[in-house]
């Protein structure tokens, strides 16, 4: 295993992931909440997919987008957690150079897709609340499919230059990545070349996708709130706002850790490295766990469908 930080090489066959630097002795304990989070995420998102598929009354755009988010969350967490647990449990820190770039691509690709799906869900809520009579005629099944395809293509194409550029750089200093997964900037910092184009492009993509998505979602909610406050009674306002509160909670759960992780990783030089890595892990792992819980608890139709399923099974 090549783990020396003085060996000179230009094309490393493997990288070494340190896990959470500075907390190596606590890796086994850290793995317990990580494993629990992953198990809850897998169970919760598969439950959402199963319930929506089983119940014809949930075959609507809102729930189709929720299924897209569930699949994306499953793929995002699965692209990181298994390797993390290998590091924490078995000290299996090596990762092939190509596998590292593939993991880097999947992480940022699925994160971008999740952000785009949240925009689509905001648009669905906007149409349902502000233009209810046109909702079913505009958001048809074919339009939902096209929106989903556009989200996938946007995430896949915009992120593609990150691993392509990372493969071009010469790596002649070290192959040790002080991280628990192949995060883009953590990898390219190991190159002995001017990596400003990679750094700037990665920052550009992060703020382009997340920034534009935040803008579109904010505009949607401004229009939604205007429509809600124009309703005549308090009960009507609360009931209408309740239909979009789940999406708002999920959006904040995704957005706040995402921006905080991006900014601290690039500009928080005085923040301890282990805090950077833990925050990056929280950003990737917690939303996939919380999303199905939030929707399962707050959306009455999903709760009722799940209750009917278990009632029928019991009978």
């Amino acid at each position: 295993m090549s783990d020396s930080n003085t060996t000179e090489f230009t094309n490393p066959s493997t990288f070494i992931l340190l896990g959470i630097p500075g907390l190596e002795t606590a890796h086994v304990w850290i793995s317990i909440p990580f494993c629990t989070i992953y198990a809850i995420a897998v169970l919760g998102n598969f439950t959402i997919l199963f319930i929506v598929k089983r119940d014809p009354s949930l075959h609507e755009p809102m729930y189709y987008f929720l299924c897209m988010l569930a699949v994306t969350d499953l793929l995002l967490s699965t692209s990181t957690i298994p390797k993390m647990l290998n590091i924490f449990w078995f000290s299996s820190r090596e990762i092939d150079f190509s596998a590292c770039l593939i993991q880097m691509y999947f992480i940022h690709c699925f994160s971008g897709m999740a952000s785009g799906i949240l925009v689509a869900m905001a648009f669905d809520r906007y149409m349902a609340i502000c233009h209810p009579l046109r909702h079913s005629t505009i958001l048809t099944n074919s339009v939902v499919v096209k929106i989903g395809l556009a989200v996938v293509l946007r995430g896949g194409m915009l992120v593609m230059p990150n691993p392509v550029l990372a493969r071009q750089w010469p790596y002649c200093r070290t192959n040790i990545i002080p991280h628990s997964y192949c995060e883009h900037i953590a990898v390219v910092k190991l190159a002995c070349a001017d990596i400003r184009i990679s750094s700037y492009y990665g920052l550009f993509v992060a703020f382009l996708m997340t920034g534009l998505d935040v803008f579109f979602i904010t505009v949607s909610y401004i229009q939604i709130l205007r429509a809600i406050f124009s309703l005549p009674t308090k009960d009507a306002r609360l009931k209408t706002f309740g239909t979009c509160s789940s999406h708002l909670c999920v959006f904040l759960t995704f957005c706040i850790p995402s921006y905080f992780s991006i900014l601290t990783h690039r500009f928080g030089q005085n923040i301890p490295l282990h805090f950077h890595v833990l925050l990056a892990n929280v950003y990737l792992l917690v939303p996939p766990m919380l999303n199905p819980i939030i929707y399962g608890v707050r959306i009455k139709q999903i709760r009722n469908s799940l209750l009917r399923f278990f009632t029928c099974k019991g009978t």
Side-chain angles (χ1 to χ4, degrees):
M1 182 172 67
S2 176
D3 59 338
S4 171
N5 61 2
T6 58
T7 303
E8 292 188 3
F9 47 87
T10 55
N11 293 302
S13 58
T14 60
F15 282 119
I16 309 298
L17 291 167
L18 293 184
I20 303 178
L23 298 178
E24 287 86 357
T25 57
H27 274 176
V28 173
W29 296 106
I30 294 171
S31 71
I32 296 173
F34 277 33
C35 187
T36 303
I37 288 171
Y38 182 58
I40 294 172
V42 170
L43 178 62
N45 285 294
F46 269 120
T47 300
I48 292 290
L49 294 171
F50 173 75
I51 290 298
V52 173
K53 181 180 185 300
R54 180 181 175 276
D55 192 340
S57 68
L58 300 181
H59 294 178
E60 299 176 0
M62 173 182 174
Y63 301 105
Y64 291 147
F65 290 135
L66 180 56
C67 286
M68 293 180 197
L69 184 63
V71 171
T72 304
D73 284 342
L74 284 169
L75 294 172
L76 178 60
S77 54
T78 302
S79 66
T80 54
I81 276 287
K83 182 58 183 177
M84 282 186 203
L85 294 179
N86 266 321
I87 296 170
F88 296 156
W89 289 342
F90 309 113
S91 296
S92 177
R93 297 174 177 175
E94 285 192 354
I95 183 170
D96 184 76
F97 181 68
S98 296
C100 185
L101 297 184
I102 291 171
Q103 186 190 53
M104 175 200 301
Y105 174 75
F106 281 159
I107 289 170
H108 294 283
C109 177
F110 295 142
S111 296
M113 289 180 191
S115 181
I117 293 168
L118 291 176
V119 175
M121 296 172 84
F123 178 67
D124 170 74
R125 291 298 85 206
Y126 164 75
M127 292 301 303
I129 293 173
C130 299
H131 304 284
L133 298 179
R134 300 171 58 194
H135 179 264
S136 59
T137 58
I138 292 179
L139 279 174
T140 61
N141 288 344
S142 62
V143 170
V144 171
V145 170
K146 290 175 183 176
I147 291 174
L149 184 60
V151 167
V152 171
L153 290 176
R154 185 193 74 154
M157 294 176 66
L158 282 177
V159 172
M160 180 61 74
N162 282 339
V164 171
L165 287 170
R167 180 176 284 277
Q168 306 305 314
W169 304 129
Y171 295 87
C172 58
R173 293 195 187 102
T174 181
N175 63 341
I176 299 175
I177 302 174
H179 216 294
S180 55
Y181 59 85
C182 291
E183 201 274 336
H184 171 245
I185 199 67
V187 173
V188 298
K189 277 182 176 179
L190 304 182
C192 53
D194 186 352
I195 60 164
R196 280 181 294 181
I197 184 172
S198 276
S199 181
Y200 291 156
Y201 183 77
L203 199 61
F204 165 74
V205 169
F207 278 96
L208 175 67
M209 287 200 292
T210 311
L212 280 178
D213 292 349
V214 169
F215 172 76
F216 288 134
I217 292 172
T218 301
V219 170
S220 297
Y221 270 100
I222 290 173
Q223 298 301 317
I224 288 170
L225 291 174
R226 287 178 61 186
I228 289 174
F229 285 124
S230 67
L231 294 174
T233 65
K234 181 180 178 180
D235 287 342
R237 290 194 290 269
L238 290 174
K239 184 177 180 181
T240 305
F241 182 75
T243 63
C244 58
S245 60
S246 300
H247 173 265
L248 186 59
C249 291
V250 168
F251 166 65
L252 293 175
T253 301
F254 174 85
C255 181
I256 293 173
S258 171
Y259 266 113
F260 199 62
S261 177
I262 291 170
L263 293 173
T264 56
H265 201 79
R266 283 171 170 80
F267 307 114
Q269 288 80 7
N270 296 325
I271 298 176
L273 181 58
H274 66 267
F275 182 80
H276 280 293
V277 177
L278 281 172
L279 187 63
N281 289 329
V282 167
Y283 151 60
L284 290 183
L285 302 180
V286 172
M289 176 192 70
L290 289 181
N291 292 348
I293 295 175
I294 292 171
Y295 276 102
V297 169
R298 294 199 59 85
I299 296 184
K300 183 178 179 181
Q301 292 89 330
I302 292 179
R303 291 202 312 271
N304 290 344
S305 182
L306 191 61
L307 183 61
R308 284 197 301 270
F309 171 73
F310 282 111
T311 302
C312 292
K313 293 290 285 186
T315 305

